[in-house]
Amino acid sequence: MEAIAALIKAFLGSLRDLLPIIIVIAFFQLIVLQEPLPNLLSILFGLLLVVAGLTFFIFGLEMGLFPIGESMAQAFARKGSLFWLMVFAFCLGFGTTVAEPALTAVADEAAEVAAEGGMIPNDEVAMEEYANGLRLSVALSVGFAIMLGVLRILKGWSIQYMIIIGYIGVVVLTMFAPESIIGVAYDSGGVTTSTITVPLVTALGVGLASAIKGRNPMIDGFGLIAFASLLPMMFVMVYGMVVA
């Protein structure tokens, strides 16, 4: 019964979160455009599916991914093995990024545009190699980013200076990278922070900071996502320079 009550609560919460979007669309469609909603039943059914999907997604995160991420981070901290903690951090960042649907979509679209623009041969093999190379570059960068973020938590380094240095590196690489890859690189930083990566990486940071004496989960536990967003921009620009 507690699980059902929690599920209903999550459903109502999802509906509340989507309500502003519904109001905006209805306002502009009915008041500004002064046109009825096309296929109203289909839209309502689709909206119900969105709310249900969001509900199960959030419920699943709270039930499964967050607890396992935090418990594994705490277990590695208790084990005291820096090597295996770093291996776990890299594999977590790499694996979750490769599985990101948003990254796959961006990589495939970038491959098609590159082929149409004459940057690569316009055939299936070349486009697949370009897209896979882009995905692997981003996944590797996120793996190293999570390792760097974990090391920051262990050492207690200040995040703001590391982020400033990182963005200086992005600006410098932007001056040398091919113009055609810069936009893709900047977007790659965004698609890594999506539905699969964020929950597990956040749980890792919070769990690790909670298990280490002298670390504040609120101050030290967050910030891994910033590294996961920053390093892909640099790696993709380097990838673009190599391909070019």
Side-chain angles (χ1 to χ4, degrees):
M1 291 300 295
E2 290 181 3
I4 294 174
L7 186 61
I8 294 172
K9 185 179 178 181
F11 182 86
L12 294 176
S14 300
L15 186 60
R16 181 197 60 220
D17 293 338
L18 286 172
L19 192 59
I21 302 174
I22 298 170
I23 292 173
V24 168
I25 293 174
F27 174 79
F28 280 94
Q29 183 72 25
L30 301 176
I31 306 300
V32 178
L33 297 176
Q34 296 183 350
E35 295 180 1
L37 288 169
N39 303 318
L40 182 59
L41 290 177
S42 178
I43 291 174
L44 291 175
F45 181 68
L47 182 63
L48 179 63
L49 291 179
V50 170
V51 175
L54 188 59
T55 299
F56 284 112
F57 176 70
I58 295 173
F59 196 67
L61 289 183
E62 294 176 351
M63 230 177 140
L65 290 186
F66 275 121
I68 195 172
E70 290 185 18
S71 64
M72 290 188 72
Q74 292 169 359
F76 274 111
R78 288 194 300 269
K79 189 177 178 66
S81 174
L82 179 62
F83 172 77
W84 285 113
L85 178 59
M86 287 299 175
V87 170
F88 172 68
F90 177 83
C91 292
L92 181 69
F94 182 88
T96 55
T97 305
V98 166
E100 280 291 356
L103 176 59
T104 303
V106 168
D108 291 341
E109 188 67 24
E112 289 182 15
V113 173
E116 292 173 1
M119 293 176 54
I120 59 175
N122 195 355
D123 60 72
E124 291 286 337
V125 175
M127 287 191 290
E128 185 176 353
E129 288 180 355
Y130 185 89
N132 288 337
L134 190 60
R135 288 178 63 198
L136 286 176
S137 298
V138 175
L140 285 171
S141 68
V142 175
F144 285 115
I146 303 306
M147 288 177 65
L148 182 61
V150 166
L151 193 61
R152 180 193 73 83
I153 295 173
L154 296 176
K155 298 295 184 181
W157 294 336
S158 178
I159 188 172
Q160 56 264 39
Y161 298 114
M162 298 178 71
I163 294 296
I164 290 171
I165 293 171
Y167 274 106
I168 291 173
V170 170
V171 172
V172 172
L173 283 172
T174 301
M175 294 187 290
F176 296 98
E179 189 174 348
S180 56
I181 201 68
I182 292 174
V184 177
Y186 288 168
D187 283 347
S188 298
V191 297
T192 57
T193 53
S194 191
T195 54
I196 298 176
T197 306
V198 171
L200 282 171
V201 170
T202 302
L204 170 65
V206 172
L208 191 60
S210 301
I212 298 176
K213 187 177 180 180
R215 297 290 176 266
N216 186 330
M218 196 65 197
I219 297 174
D220 303 302
F222 294 92
L224 290 178
I225 302 300
F227 291 107
S229 180
L230 175 61
L231 260 67
M233 292 189 281
M234 303 173 70
F235 272 60
V236 171
M237 281 191 275
V238 172
Y239 172 72
M241 286 187 277
V242 171
V243 171

